[in-house]
Every structure is written in C-alpha cells, then in structure tokens.
Amino acid sequence: MSKPVITLWSDANFFSPYVLSAYVALQEKGLPFTLKTVDLDRGEHLAPGWQGYAQTRRVPLLEIDGFELSESSAIAEYLEDRFAPPTWERIYPLDLEKRARARQIQAWLRSDLMPVREERPTDVVFGGVKKGPLSDAGKASVEKLFATASHLLADGTPNLFGEWCLADTDLALMINRLALNGDDVPTPLAEYAAFQWQRASVQRYIALSAKRTG
C-alpha cells in the first residue's frame, strides 16, 4: 500500500488553536505530512486560487491524496477513522462513552466561552502578548470554564480519561489562554495545562510559532 500524500495548511503565524489540534493529531498518529501556510492577515484564504477556498475559506485544511477537508474536529475524526488503531496510534479513548465525552468537550470548547476567546486570543499563548483585565462577561466565562474543567478533572489525574487524548490538548489550550497571561488559575488546572503543554507534539507546534514571531 502506497503512503498517503498529506498536506496541512496553517495560518502563517501558527496562532490558530484549530491548526494546533489538527497538527497534534497528525503528529500523534505518526503520519508524515507537509506543512504549508496561508497568510490570513493578507487575505490569502479569501482568494479563489487557494485550495481551501471551496471549503470554508479557513484553516486548518487537510489534503490527503486529493481529498480536502476543513474544520479541525472533522479532520481529527477522519484521521482516527482512516488511520485506525491498532495499526496507528489512538487520538481518542477506546471506550465508547469516553470517546463521546472527549468529542463533547472539543465541541464545547469550539462553540462556547466566546468572551475568553475574544479577551484572551491565542497571541497570548503563542506570541507572549499580555492582555488587560477581563470584562464582566469574560469573568463569567472564565468561571464557567474553571467549574467545568474542575469537574472533568476531579480525580486529579494528569489526563482527562486516564491516558492522553486530543481533547486534552484542546482543553489545555483554553486554560493556557489565562495561565500564560498571568491570570489567576486554580492550581490543579494550571498544573494540568502545564503538563499537557510539555507533550512533544505540542512543543513542536509551539516551536513553529516561536520561530515565526522570534
């Protein structure tokens, strides 16, 4: 069987939390891929000549043997299905209910907590930028994040489900929007996010953004 030809398209700054998720999924699967960038600031993603234009005009965009797919959650699920365990490494829990919960967490992080995402954008995480005090809406959103994350991590383990899955990276990213800005974060959550941030696949992505902004 020939090896698939895989390309992952990212924003030029490597600031996208969704590109991070897709990048980590590919890394954890052990799949070789080419990384290309499109400059969002210059509007390159809005140009009809770009491969992702006909999809959602957003990154990440995954290309495999001529098949193009956008949206990080769809990319992760496609990779898990196409490059399935045990031949390939697992990025979601084996247990059916835990796998569903992991995907629930990812969907929640992508659809809720908008004040956190707006007031603590990812240039805080990947660019070292510092933001000012949170608004009342931001504080309420942070309270919701902390309460939910504390419940999910109530057993004190370093991963959501006893072993790493892709939802750990996504949740750690959301917590680190605050922790890396210097906001007050409950110690267990800060420690969880710091632990997840040391994963090799995550560090490789951080190195890309650091090289770009350094």
Side-chain angles (χ1 to χ4, degrees):
M1 182 182 296
S2 61
K3 292 184 178 179
V5 178
I6 304 175
T7 300
L8 178 67
W9 286 87
S10 169
D11 61 302
N13 292 327
F14 301 103
F15 278 6
S16 169
Y18 311 117
V19 173
L20 165 67
S21 190
Y23 179 93
V24 167
L26 286 164
Q27 288 275 331
E28 295 290 342
K29 283 288 182 185
L31 293 165
F33 64 97
T34 299
L35 186 63
K36 295 184 179 181
T37 61
V38 57
D39 194 327
L40 305 186
D41 293 336
R42 295 176 59 186
E44 290 181 355
H45 59 305
L46 303 177
W50 179 58
Q51 286 91 323
Y53 181 85
Q55 302 299 323
T56 58
R57 306 182 193 182
R58 301 199 297 183
V59 294
L61 177 76
L62 181 75
E63 295 180 77
I64 299 186
D65 296 336
F67 174 66
E68 298 172 351
L69 184 67
S70 58
E71 299 300 319
S72 59
S73 56
I75 289 170
E77 293 182 25
Y78 173 72
L79 292 173
E80 185 78 328
D81 290 341
R82 177 164 176 174
F83 304 100
T87 303
W88 304 90
E89 293 297 319
R90 185 178 298 283
I91 59 174
Y92 285 106
L94 175 62
D95 178 81
L96 179 62
E97 281 72 29
K98 290 180 179 178
R99 188 162 65 250
R101 185 71 71 206
R103 287 169 171 164
Q104 173 195 314
I105 292 166
Q106 290 181 295
W108 170 63
L109 292 169
R110 284 159 172 73
S111 63
D112 203 346
L113 308 172
M114 182 58 75
V116 175
R117 288 184 276 152
E118 290 179 342
E119 298 180 35
R120 297 293 182 265
T122 52
D123 56 0
V124 169
V125 177
F126 300 118
V129 175
K130 301 298 182 184
K131 301 295 182 179
L134 291 161
S135 67
D136 288 344
K139 291 175 182 177
S141 190
V142 167
E143 183 179 350
K144 182 177 184 180
L145 168 63
F146 289 169
T148 302
S150 296
H151 174 73
L152 291 168
L153 298 164
D155 60 2
T157 58
N159 300 301
L160 283 164
F161 304 105
E163 60 181 357
W164 179 88
C165 75
L166 191 58
D168 283 300
T169 298
D170 292 344
L171 179 57
L173 182 281
M174 187 63 76
I175 295 170
N176 272 334
R177 290 175 184 265
L178 299 152
L180 296 178
N181 190 67
D183 296 300
D184 289 333
V185 177
T187 298
L189 298 186
E191 291 177 347
Y192 163 81
F195 175 78
Q196 295 297 330
W197 228 232
Q198 295 309 307
R199 197 165 183 89
S201 56
V202 176
Q203 284 295 307
R204 292 188 190 104
Y205 186 83
I206 292 171
L208 293 171
S209 58
K211 182 178 180 180
R212 185 73 180 185
T213 58

